[in-house]
């Protein structure tokens, strides 16, 4: 032992003299070229070091060439990255100066260990505390991406579902009756079976369905290694959406559900109330037109059918320029997805239809439309920008193309800028509202889209930080995806999970919410006095922070697919 000490000393000194004690890795180069193994600095006994919630990092891990950062408590000065198998310290560095996180109302410090690229399982140690173990390796997320997609299988409606613990006989197979805007039955009936249950409830709503379809298909299209399963998965939803179109007018019913929500512990087949179809809406019809036109480039064998459905929906939009936004008819209490402004949905539809058909009348519509951004179900402008920029081809108008690029890039630069001022490296500021996790992944999606038109590695790196936030690098040290990480969401507001007593894996929680609770008193009481990033409770009753939804999953799926995680 005595002879070892001078040797270790020399090694330590050597390490201290170089700015890069671990193997040098160019953080801007994701190619993961093999680099020399880092020099072991010394060994620590991990058994005396306890886990601390205050050391927040990606609970799954990092790829060798990617940036690697953790958030640490203010009272830390330096940190070590220690291999779990043998306690060898492979990297050591000082923490940053303190930084104030407005979202968590705390002073924190950053630990940057980007230069460590040696594959292995590690913990970050600061003082006598450590992080959860995490991986450095080529595939640190393992089956996460697949799980976020497979979750949609368990949301299937109208079929005998073979889904392990969450299997059930066919649900919601009855005929739906059509309601008018006052909630009176019109006398019409329609079979609209199929599709995915929207969220923790069993409603099926066109507006969020269109977002989900778009994100999954774009994730498929823009991934370097697309998952072939995406096309089959999405087709299930498209078939249902097609049934939601009114043959006569081309308009699309906003949603189908029972009048209210059923008990939280009921499997889908136990919800047997009358299904009601709410009136046709402009947002649903425009979203439908957009989703069908977009889908037409992925399913060549049914291209004409999809484009015909899209065109009829578009014609309805042209025939109904001023219809008011959707609100639930009297007596209907399920998800509203109300949105008084259908201009962005119409713009998206026009861009998809133009991309698919090259129709110059539609081009004129686009040229006269207001440009806007957004990837959530309320504001959908960015889907339109993406369609035009990626698929208008040589029919594109040069001036308009430039305007669209400028808008997308300026949106992304805003996200980059906000992320720079946030110690967690994300872009919400203090705006954590219902579905904040989708806001996180949608901002990552905006960054990745902008990166297609502006060559700057920061887009990808900041998108990665957003992903790290979702799986542990956040003020609650929570992994917001069920079944993954060391402290995953366990008690989602999701009926099949509650009924079975176990969360379906791969679901993304809504996340912290300091805004409207919609009457969720579990969250309302819990969050009193808490800062925005901590307004989350892993409780099945908290629908305003701990529900799950197909379009939150699709948003995260896009990010995972495009980042190749
Ligand atoms: O995701 C929706 C969120 O943006 C809204 O603020 C909230 C209240 O209107 O509704 C959310 O959507 C819910 C829908 O209405 C019903 N199914 C569950 C959805 C997720 O919580
Ligand atoms: Zn069902």
């Amino acid at each position: 032992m005595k002879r070892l000490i001078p040797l270790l000393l020399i090694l330590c000194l050597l390490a201290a003299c170089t700015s890069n004690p671990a193997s040098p890795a160019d953080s801007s180069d994701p190619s993961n070229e093999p680099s020399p193994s880092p020099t072991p600095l010394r060994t620590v006994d991990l058994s005396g070091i306890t886990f601390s919630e205050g050391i927040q990092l990606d609970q799954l891990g990092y790829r060798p060439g990617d940036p690697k950062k953790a958030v640490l408590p203010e009272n830390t000065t330096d940190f070590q990255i220690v291999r779990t198998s043998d306690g060898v310290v492979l990297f050591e560095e000082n923490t940053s100066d303190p930084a104030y996180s407005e979202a968590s109302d705390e002073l924190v410090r950053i630990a940057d260990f980007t230069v460590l690229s040696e594959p292995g399982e590690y913990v970050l140690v600061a003082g006598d505390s450590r992080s959860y173990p995490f991986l450095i390796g080529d595939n640190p997320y393992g089956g996460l991406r697949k799980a976020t997609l497979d979750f949609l299988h368990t949301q299937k409606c109208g079929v005998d579902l073979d889904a392990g613990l969450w299997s059930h006989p066919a649900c919601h197979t009855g005929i739906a009756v059509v309601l008018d805007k006052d909630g009176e039955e019109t006398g019409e009936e329609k079979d609209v079976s199929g599709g995915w249950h929207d969220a923790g409830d069993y409603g099926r709503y066109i507006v969020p369905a269109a977002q989900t379809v778009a994100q999954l298909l774009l994730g498929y299209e823009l991934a370097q290694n697309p998952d072939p399963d995406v096309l089959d998965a999405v087709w299930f939803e498209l078939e249902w959406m097609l049934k939601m179109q009114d043959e006569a007018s081309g308009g699309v019913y906003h949603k189908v559900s029972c009048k209210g929500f059923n008990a939280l512990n009921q499997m889908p087949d136990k919800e047997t109330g009358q299904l009601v179809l709410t009136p046709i809406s402009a947002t649903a019809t425009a979203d439908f037109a957009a989703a069908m036109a977009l889908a037409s480039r992925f399913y060549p064998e049914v291209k004409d059918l999809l484009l015909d459905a899209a065109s009829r929906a578009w014609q309805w939009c042209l025939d109904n320029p001023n219809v008011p936004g959707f609100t639930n008819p009297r007596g209907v209490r399920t998800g509203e997805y109300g949105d008084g402004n259908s201009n962005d949905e119409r713009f998206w539809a026009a861009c998809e239809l133009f991309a698919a058909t090259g129709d110059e009348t539609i081009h004129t519509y686009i040229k006269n439309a207001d440009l806007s951004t957004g990837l959530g179900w309320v504001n959908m402008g960015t889907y339109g920008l993406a369609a035009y920029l990626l698929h208008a081809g040589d029919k594109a108008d040069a001036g308009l193309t430039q305007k669209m690029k400028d808008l997308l890039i300026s949106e992304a630069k805003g996200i980059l800028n906000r992320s720079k001022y946030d110690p967690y490296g994300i872009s919400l500021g203090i705006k954590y509202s219902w579905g904040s996790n989708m806001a996180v992944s949608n901002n990552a999606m905006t960054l990745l889209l902008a990166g297609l038109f502006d060559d700057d590695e920061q887009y990808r790196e900041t998108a990665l930080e957003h992903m790290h936030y979702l799986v542990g690098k956040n003020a609650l040290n929570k992994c917001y995806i069920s079944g993954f990480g060391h402290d995953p969401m366990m008690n989602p507001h999701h009926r099949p999970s509650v009924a079975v007593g176990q969360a379906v894996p791969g679901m993304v929680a809504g996340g912290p919410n300091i805004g409207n609770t919609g009457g969720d008193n579990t969250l309302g009481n819990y969050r009193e006095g808490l800062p925005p990033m901590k307004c989350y409770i892993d409780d099945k009753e908290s629908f305003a922070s701990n529900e799950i939804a197909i379009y939150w999953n699709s948003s995260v799926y896009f990010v995972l697919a495009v980042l190749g995680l």
Side-chain angles (χ1 to χ4, degrees):
M1 184 64 194
K2 267 194 186 148
R3 251 184 295 149
L4 263 180
I5 290 175
L7 182 67
L8 278 175
L9 253 178
I10 292 167
L11 284 175
C12 289
L13 277 173
L14 265 177
C17 290
T18 64
S19 59
N20 268 356
S23 63
D26 179 1
S27 69
S28 66
D29 176 13
S31 62
N32 301 339
E33 275 176 26
S35 40
S37 286
T39 313
L41 300 176
R42 58 180 176 280
T43 303
V44 297
D45 179 5
L46 284 174
S47 67
I49 295 179
T50 51
F51 166 73
S52 162
E53 291 283 359
I55 304 181
Q56 296 144 358
L57 41 65
D58 189 310
Q59 291 179 17
L60 301 167
Y62 304 81
R63 288 178 297 199
D66 285 339
K68 304 172 196 73
K69 288 178 193 158
V71 175
L72 270 55
E74 200 250 324
N75 64 5
T76 54
T77 51
D78 55 63
F79 69 98
Q80 296 80 39
I81 304 292
V82 183
R83 193 155 56 202
T84 54
S85 60
D86 53 10
V88 165
V89 178
L90 282 184
F91 180 76
E92 175 163 48
E93 188 50 274
N94 292 332
T95 55
S96 73
D97 288 339
Y100 178 61
S101 160
E102 204 181 353
S104 68
D105 191 23
E106 274 163 338
L107 280 171
V108 294
R109 293 178 190 256
I110 314 295
D112 188 337
F113 52 102
T114 301
V115 291
L116 179 61
S117 59
E118 173 83 356
E121 190 198 61
Y122 302 94
V123 287
L124 185 153
V125 173
D128 52 9
S129 302
R130 65 163 172 84
S131 68
Y132 286 122
F134 63 92
L135 296 175
I136 293 179
D138 289 336
N139 184 20
Y141 280 23
L144 180 67
R145 189 184 70 245
K146 185 173 171 3
T148 59
L149 185 63
D150 287 351
F151 148 70
L152 294 167
H153 174 72
T154 64
Q155 294 294 97
K156 280 182 181 167
C157 185
V159 291
D160 287 327
L161 189 72
D162 183 2
L165 290 175
W166 302 276
S167 300
H168 61 79
C171 54
H172 306 108
T173 48
I175 291 282
V177 298
V178 178
L179 301 183
D180 66 18
K181 67 178 180 6
D182 299 317
E184 301 297 333
E185 291 186 16
T186 63
E188 294 152 275
E189 294 184 337
K190 211 168 155 53
D191 164 28
V192 288
S193 57
W196 296 315
H197 300 134
D198 176 59
D201 65 303
Y202 298 136
R204 287 166 288 146
Y205 314 108
I206 286 292
V207 165
Q211 181 194 327
T212 310
V213 161
Q215 288 182 311
L216 295 173
L217 291 179
L218 289 172
Y220 175 82
E221 184 167 54
L222 298 174
Q224 254 179 24
N225 298 304
D227 295 312
D229 297 355
V230 171
L231 296 184
D232 271 358
V234 171
W235 181 249
F236 188 83
E237 187 74 341
L238 292 171
E239 269 189 306
W240 163 71
M241 289 175 77
L242 288 166
K243 292 185 184 175
M244 293 288 282
Q245 185 171 36
D246 174 42
E247 277 300 316
S249 66
V252 178
Y253 294 100
H254 194 76
K255 61 181 211 169
V256 59
S257 68
C258 294
K259 283 198 171 175
F261 295 126
N262 62 322
L264 189 56
N265 61 0
Q266 270 179 355
M267 287 300 278
D269 56 298
K270 297 291 182 305
E271 188 185 56
T272 52
Q274 176 62 52
L275 292 173
V276 294
L277 265 170
T278 58
I280 289 168
S281 75
T283 48
T285 306
D287 278 344
F288 172 98
M292 291 301 158
L294 181 155
S296 72
R297 61 173 187 266
F298 297 87
Y299 303 92
E301 63 291 2
V302 284
K303 185 174 178 194
D304 293 347
L305 179 145
L306 296 171
L307 276 180
D308 176 59
S311 303
R312 283 184 293 120
W314 177 245
Q315 190 55 49
W316 184 96
C317 292
L318 295 177
D319 295 344
N320 294 273
N322 299 316
V323 290
F326 179 84
T327 48
N328 268 335
R330 194 172 312 121
V332 175
R333 297 172 302 280
T334 50
E336 185 165 67
Y337 295 105
D339 172 2
N341 181 350
S342 62
N343 290 339
D344 48 319
E345 287 81 4
R346 290 168 190 262
F347 169 73
W348 176 28
C351 290
E352 294 290 3
L353 272 157
F354 178 62
T357 65
D359 181 330
E360 276 304 324
T361 337
I362 298 181
H363 204 184
T364 306
Y365 179 96
I366 300 171
K367 288 175 185 165
N368 292 325
D370 288 334
L371 302 186
S372 64
T373 57
L375 291 165
W377 60 266
V378 182
N379 298 315
M380 311 199 89
T382 301
Y383 294 104
L385 303 179
Y388 194 92
L389 290 175
L390 293 168
H391 294 287
D394 47 14
K395 297 209 163 202
D397 175 274
L400 185 55
T401 299
Q402 195 54 49
K403 265 196 203 158
M404 289 190 184
K405 280 188 187 167
D406 290 347
L407 178 62
L408 177 61
I409 290 167
S410 91
E411 174 82 7
K413 291 233 153 108
I415 293 171
L416 285 183
N417 211 27
R418 293 198 298 282
S419 305
K420 267 185 207 132
Y421 289 103
D422 182 311
Y424 287 88
I426 65 160
S427 51
L428 300 199
I430 51 169
K431 290 193 193 137
Y432 287 70
S433 48
W434 197 320
S436 65
N437 282 340
M438 180 192 80
V440 171
S441 48
N442 274 357
N443 283 354
M445 179 169 174
T446 297
L447 293 173
L448 293 169
L449 290 174
L452 301 173
F453 307 102
D454 186 20
D455 188 18
D456 182 344
E457 187 56 21
Q458 284 189 74
Y459 296 122
R460 203 187 69 89
E461 291 186 354
T462 308
L464 269 167
E465 290 311 329
H466 284 65
M467 198 57 233
H468 294 319
Y469 166 91
L470 293 174
V471 291
K473 189 178 164 236
N474 56 63
L476 294 177
N477 216 325
K478 189 82 190 164
C479 177
Y480 287 114
I481 305 185
S482 53
F484 289 82
H486 298 281
D487 183 12
M489 165 180 66
M490 301 277 278
N491 307 297
H493 184 88
H494 177 241
R495 282 169 173 70
S497 297
V498 174
V500 166
Q502 193 174 318
V504 172
M507 298 189 297
V508 179
N513 174 9
I514 197 157
N516 169 35
T517 64
D520 171 353
N521 295 328
T522 306
L523 175 66
N525 294 332
Y526 172 79
R527 74 181 184 184
E528 231 171 273
L530 290 175
M533 210 196 277
K534 294 187 178 177
C535 293
Y536 165 85
I537 178 163
D538 187 3
D539 185 312
K540 66 183 189 323
E541 301 295 338
S542 179
F543 51 85
S545 78
N546 209 35
E547 190 162 352
I548 59 84
I550 56 173
Y551 49 101
W552 299 340
N553 259 71
S554 58
S555 174
V556 171
Y557 177 80
F558 175 94
V559 176
L560 291 169
V562 174
L563 286 172
L565 280 164

